[in-house]
Amino acid sequence: MPIALWALTLGAFGIGTTEFVIMGLLPEVAADLGVSVPDAGHLISGYAVGVVIGAPLLAIAGSRLPRKTFLFALLGLFAAANALSAVAPGYEALLGSRFLAGLPHGAFLGIGSVVAADMVPGHRRGQAVARVLMGLTLANVAGVPLGALLGQLLGWRWAFAGVAVIGAVAALVLRAALPDQPRPAAVPVRRELRVLARPQVLLAFAVVVFGFGGSFAAYSYISPVLTDLTGFGATGVSVVLALFGAGTTAGAVVGGRLADTAPMPTLYLFTGALAASLALFAVAAGDPVLAPVGVFLIGATGFVAVTSLQTMILERAREAPGLAAAGIHSAFNIANALGALLGGAAITLGLGLTAPALVGAALSAVGLALALVLGLSDRRATAVRDEVPDGLSEEVPGAVEPAPAVVG
């Protein structure tokens, strides 16, 4: 893999840290700002909404800029927004700064994935995308546990200040390490949106929203579960957060390889395994041995399928790779917002702290059902394509040709 991929990984590390560190600090933030834990959970959804809105809009706005310049500007915005979070005077200000911090998330990871895919031969695209996403998983191994521990010991504001520094350093390293990128070829926005409206692309996005909404439903409220039910202190919570990160890292590595060989069976198997892991955690949350095992499995099973889905979407929307890749991260953060919202609603209804994990298991089961529909749609599209003379497959609704390497 080209060394410049590590610069993209570092940028993803900073973004992943700020996305997930709040989940380890909800009790502290809620107590300091005088709100309930479910209300503090809206800070997770606020960031996610920023990603959902910012990913497509910034991807379109930056489509005429050199990619290196655009990626550097996105990280600059990210660092500034996290600095604002560190000094936010109240709940509403923090919610607004979290929204701003989410705006560059999807565009950076989306365009970064396209740049990564351009750097390698076609048969290694899955591994290149996995390398970028590994920054998110490494954030869960190191950035999130350390940030949560820092926030618990010194105050939650220090966690966001640390993230702002990570973002600034990542921007400088990226500027120094990433080779100059050619200006992307102009693609009409209407054409890009038409590509994203293909039924198979929309189905794949739906799998992301429901399948991985399950992970976020449980993980958003992991800190109060571990403290109130499992009985862990600050250090124990940080260790379990690191276990989640270890699971996501292992899942991303395995998923990158399986995405290049058997993406659809991988999606079926590990979306189902995610639903089972969430159900297991709901049952075992009070056990200090089994609860960490369940957290590890949630991270591992969920992230195995992530790279397969991203690779499949890029193939189905190959004429608009930048917008499609940004759209993937919008879909993941719709999942984030949906999971946090439904998990918090279950707690507010008095169903207990294990209820978000059960909500997550149900969401992931829906994601598995949608994945099966996507696979059936693929088989039908392939059968139709095989019956159509060469050169006419683009005229057949839903037909998908084997995708070349993603290019800009």
Side-chain angles (χ1 to χ4, degrees), residues 344-362:
I347 295 174
T348 301
L349 289 173
L351 300 180
L353 289 174
T354 59
L358 294 175
V359 170

Side-chain angles (χ1 to χ4, degrees), residues 287-340:
D287 190 298
V289 175
L290 292 180
V293 172
V295 171
F296 175 86
L297 290 176
I298 292 169
T301 54
F303 270 73
V304 166
V306 167
T307 305
S308 291
L309 266 174
Q310 178 147 337
T311 302
M312 286 188 288
I313 292 172
L314 288 175
E315 289 176 349
R316 286 159 178 76
R318 60 195 179 279
E319 298 92 341
L323 187 57
I328 291 168
H329 295 285
S330 286
F332 275 113
N333 279 272
I334 292 174
N336 191 341
L338 178 67

Side-chain angles (χ1 to χ4, degrees), residues 112-142:
S113 295
V114 174
V115 170
D118 284 348
M119 291 180 181
V120 299
H123 69 282
R124 300 184 69 187
R125 285 182 302 126
Q127 294 178 54
V129 171
R131 177 67 63 83
V132 177
L133 293 179
M134 189 179 294
L136 297 178
T137 62
L138 291 175
N140 281 293
V141 173

Side-chain angles (χ1 to χ4, degrees), residues 148-226:
L149 185 61
L150 178 67
Q152 290 162 356
L153 295 177
L154 301 180
W156 60 267
R157 296 180 186 277
W158 285 98
F160 288 110
V163 168
V165 172
I166 291 173
V169 171
L172 294 174
V173 172
L174 182 68
R175 185 167 186 173
L178 185 66
D180 290 332
Q181 300 291 308
R183 190 181 300 271
V187 178
V189 173
R190 183 177 298 178
R191 176 185 169 188
E192 292 195 355
L193 294 175
R194 187 166 63 246
V195 170
L196 295 190
R198 290 172 178 168
Q200 288 168 300
V201 175
L202 294 177
L203 261 176
F205 282 149
V207 175
V208 173
V209 170
F210 287 94
F212 299 99
S215 290
F216 292 121
Y219 192 59
S220 295
Y221 301 96
I222 192 68
S223 183
V225 171
L226 293 175

Side-chain angles (χ1 to χ4, degrees), residues 9-385:
T9 304
L10 182 62
F13 176 84
I15 285 176
T17 298
T18 201
E19 178 180 17
F20 294 112
V21 74
I22 184 67
M23 299 173 184
L25 294 172
L26 281 188
E28 290 75 17
V29 173
D32 185 53
L33 299 181
V35 298
S36 67
V37 168
D39 283 342
H42 294 163
L43 298 169
I44 300 171
S45 299
Y47 180 91
V49 170
V51 180
V52 171
I53 294 175
L57 293 183
L58 290 180
I60 292 172
S63 63
R64 302 296 184 268
L65 295 174
R67 284 176 173 159
K68 180 176 179 177
T69 301
F70 186 45
L71 291 172
F72 177 77
L74 291 172
L75 280 178
L77 172 59
F78 166 80
N82 277 282
L84 289 175
S85 295
V87 298
Y91 175 77
E92 291 78 11
L94 181 58
L95 184 62
S97 62
R98 288 286 293 170
F99 171 80
L100 291 176
L103 290 175
H105 174 126
F108 177 84
L109 294 175
I111 300 302
S113 295
V114 174
V115 170
D118 284 348
M119 291 180 181
V120 299
H123 69 282
R124 300 184 69 187
R125 285 182 302 126
Q127 294 178 54
V129 171
R131 177 67 63 83
V132 177
L133 293 179
M134 189 179 294
L136 297 178
T137 62
L138 291 175
N140 281 293
V141 173
V144 171
L146 291 176
L149 185 61
L150 178 67
Q152 290 162 356
L153 295 177
L154 301 180
W156 60 267
R157 296 180 186 277
W158 285 98
F160 288 110
V163 168
V165 172
I166 291 173
V169 171
L172 294 174
V173 172
L174 182 68
R175 185 167 186 173
L178 185 66
D180 290 332
Q181 300 291 308
R183 190 181 300 271
V187 178
V189 173
R190 183 177 298 178
R191 176 185 169 188
E192 292 195 355
L193 294 175
R194 187 166 63 246
V195 170
L196 295 190
R198 290 172 178 168
Q200 288 168 300
V201 175
L202 294 177
L203 261 176
F205 282 149
V207 175
V208 173
V209 170
F210 287 94
F212 299 99
S215 290
F216 292 121
Y219 192 59
S220 295
Y221 301 96
I222 192 68
S223 183
V225 171
L226 293 175
T227 54
D228 294 354
L229 296 184
T230 317
F232 289 148
T235 301
V237 170
S238 296
V239 170
V240 176
L241 293 178
L243 279 176
F244 178 83
T248 61
T249 301
V253 172
V254 173
R257 297 187 180 279
L258 294 179
D260 290 329
T261 56
M264 196 59 72
T266 299
L267 182 60
Y268 298 153
L269 177 61
F270 285 95
T271 305
L274 173 60
S277 298
L278 288 161
L280 170 65
F281 180 70
V283 174
D287 190 298
V289 175
L290 292 180
V293 172
V295 171
F296 175 86
L297 290 176
I298 292 169
T301 54
F303 270 73
V304 166
V306 167
T307 305
S308 291
L309 266 174
Q310 178 147 337
T311 302
M312 286 188 288
I313 292 172
L314 288 175
E315 289 176 349
R316 286 159 178 76
R318 60 195 179 279
E319 298 92 341
L323 187 57
I328 291 168
H329 295 285
S330 286
F332 275 113
N333 279 272
I334 292 174
N336 191 341
L338 178 67
L341 179 64
L342 294 181
I347 295 174
T348 301
L349 289 173
L351 300 180
L353 289 174
T354 59
L358 294 175
V359 170
L363 288 173
S364 294
V366 173
L368 175 59
L370 291 171
L372 293 171
V373 174
L374 176 61
L376 179 61
S377 174
D378 271 353
R379 287 192 292 273
R380 288 178 175 174
T382 299
V384 171
R385 187 194 69 219

